[in-house]
Amino acid sequence: MRARERTAPAHPRRRRDDRPAPALSVVAPCYNEQEGLAAFVERMTAACAAVAGDDYELLLVNDGSRDATWAVIQAMAAGHPGVVGVNLSRNYGHQLAVTAGLALARGDRVLIIDADLQDPPELLGELSSRMDEGYDVVYARRRTRAAESRFKLATADLFYRLLGRLSDVRIPRDVGDFRLVSRKVVDRLNAMPEQDRFIRGMVAWLGGRQTEVLYDRDARFAGETHYTLGKMLKLAAAGLTGFSTVPLRLAIVFAAMGMFIALGVLGYVLWGFVTGNVARGWTSLALITVFFGIGQFACLAVLGSYIGRIFIEVKDRPLYFVDEIVSGRKDDEP
Ligand code: UDP
Ligand code: MG
């Protein structure tokens, strides 16, 4: 079966769509990055030139910045042939800015990188040479993180542990969205229409050959983090609920536990009733409480499992992707 055809997200037709696809695209989401952007473009274009000559495009996606970021991007695009500016209509958040960039990127390989120079552009060389070995995804894993608060490190750690426990997909720890992905992976990501996007989880879900490269995460070049606690919680919720229906099914656990407890309570209550050693009305009250309690948890469990299924259905992901088909008949291969 082939994955259902989907309409591409609405975006203006890229001016250079008739040109052959470049070897490399870089997608960098930018939100209020006016101070650091020039330095980023300089280091990034140098790193691109080192691996792809001039056969690359650098997409700077302005995610509704409130400062002069868009003006800076326009100036950069005017001054560098490889730079493409994309202006979103408002602030959609990091994950959607990356999504927009991925939909517009045309390269055979796409690097996803933050524009604040926390992810060193120079790592591109190493990521590319790993991909040359035949990987579909080479993600950059943080060995150290300079200048990030204890709180951020501790919450990130807790989040990845929890996610690892709850999710059926193995999502690597200490890995952000900084990674090099093949055209195949980008096309597949673009075919996943879910609204609430947790890109590192989606890439993990896609499988294929994935590997990592270690790096030291730098401090921000300028400005401060735009990932407020609220945005972090929202991302964490997208990760947890998007990749696990375990929380929904907690009611099943409660119902099962309730059954065991109820058996004990039942014995105790009936024993009291038989020996006549109880206050009047206690027996019936205890029985009513126990049975209705279990009944409610059981109903919630049923609802939870249906809602979990509805949730998975509405995500409308392709069911699977086939990597290869081999056959003895040569004309059989796609
Ligand atoms: N970003 C974005 N939209 C937002 C918030 C952030 O496009 O609403 C961009 C930001 O410009 C940066 C990247 O996403 O390039 C990562 O954001 P940030 O550095 O604030 O997050 P942190 O590195 O602190 O996790
Ligand atoms: Mg950052």
Side-chain angles (χ1 to χ4, degrees):
M1 194 186 83
R2 287 174 64 188
R4 281 158 282 181
E5 297 285 340
R6 290 169 208 291
T7 49
H11 53 71
R13 215 177 132 71
R14 293 274 308 281
R15 229 177 335 116
R16 304 178 307 158
D17 269 357
D18 42 342
R19 297 218 197 142
L24 172 72
S25 295
V26 175
V27 170
C30 311
Y31 177 64
N32 295 351
E33 301 285 3
Q34 58 179 16
E35 294 98 358
L37 210 52
F40 170 72
V41 169
E42 195 173 308
R43 278 174 63 183
M44 193 69 246
T45 48
C48 289
V51 300
D54 61 1
D55 194 17
Y56 69 88
E57 58 176 9
L58 167 55
L59 286 112
L60 300 172
V61 183
N62 177 36
D63 184 21
S65 298
R66 279 190 287 263
D67 63 0
T69 298
W70 179 237
V72 177
I73 292 177
Q74 283 173 303
M76 293 288 153
H80 296 78
V83 171
V84 179
V86 177
N87 198 18
L88 298 184
S89 64
R90 65 168 171 84
N91 178 244
Y92 289 93
H94 173 235
Q95 298 286 301
L96 287 184
V98 172
T99 302
L102 290 178
L104 291 163
R106 299 158 57 243
D108 299 330
R109 293 176 176 186
V110 181
L111 177 77
I112 304 173
I113 186 170
D114 286 356
D116 60 0
L117 287 173
Q118 280 198 287
D119 306 332
E122 293 72 25
L123 201 69
L124 173 63
E126 207 178 331
L127 296 171
S128 301
S129 47
R130 288 314 297 275
M131 186 161 276
D132 291 339
E133 294 166 21
Y135 288 101
D136 300 311
V137 177
V138 187
Y139 50 80
R141 186 196 197 86
R142 298 153 188 169
R143 183 168 33 206
T144 56
R145 304 171 105 180
E148 278 181 300
S149 67
R150 279 240 180 109
F151 176 74
K152 177 134 189 177
L153 297 184
T155 46
D157 189 57
L158 181 73
F159 168 67
Y160 282 111
R161 271 169 199 269
L162 194 64
L163 193 58
R165 284 256 165 143
L166 294 185
S167 165
D168 338 320
V169 190
R170 284 192 51 79
I171 299 171
R173 283 172 67 180
D174 290 326
V175 172
D177 292 317
F178 182 27
R179 56 188 61 207
L180 185 65
V181 292
S182 66
R183 167 54 37 194
K184 183 171 79 181
V185 170
V186 173
D187 287 343
R188 291 175 178 184
L189 276 175
N190 292 342
M192 291 165 77
E194 57 210 77
Q195 297 277 315
D196 219 350
R197 298 177 87 80
F198 182 61
I199 293 171
R200 62 202 79 162
M202 293 161 69
V203 174
W205 180 85
L206 284 171
R209 293 195 68 201
Q210 310 207 356
T211 190
E212 65 180 29
V213 162
L214 288 173
Y215 80 111
D216 299 304
R217 189 157 166 89
D218 293 326
R220 247 177 178 278
F221 178 80
E224 52 192 49
T225 178
H226 307 303
Y227 258 97
T228 53
L229 185 63
K231 278 185 184 169
M232 253 161 63
L233 286 176
K234 215 176 144 212
L235 183 70
L240 287 178
T241 55
F243 286 86
S244 168
T245 50
V246 173
L248 262 180
R249 286 185 275 120
L250 275 183
I252 297 178
V253 179
F254 289 144
M257 275 170 15
M259 296 278 201
F260 274 108
I261 296 171
L263 279 180
V265 173
L266 203 64
Y268 175 69
V269 167
L270 290 181
W271 177 249
F273 183 71
V274 170
T275 55
N277 192 18
V278 285
R280 276 179 67 85
W282 147 253
T283 309
S284 51
L285 267 182
L287 291 180
I288 289 168
T289 316
V290 164
F291 283 111
F292 278 90
I294 297 176
Q296 281 174 3
F297 275 131
C299 291
L300 280 179
V302 172
L303 284 183
S305 60
Y306 277 97
I307 293 172
R309 276 168 187 279
I310 294 169
F311 181 61
I312 289 167
E313 292 290 339
V314 296
K315 272 194 284 191
D316 203 22
R317 285 185 189 166
L319 299 183
Y320 52 79
F321 290 101
V322 175
D323 262 337
E324 254 173 291
I325 298 175
V326 289
S327 154
R329 284 175 59 117
K330 277 293 153 237
D331 53 357
D332 230 14
E333 288 175 29

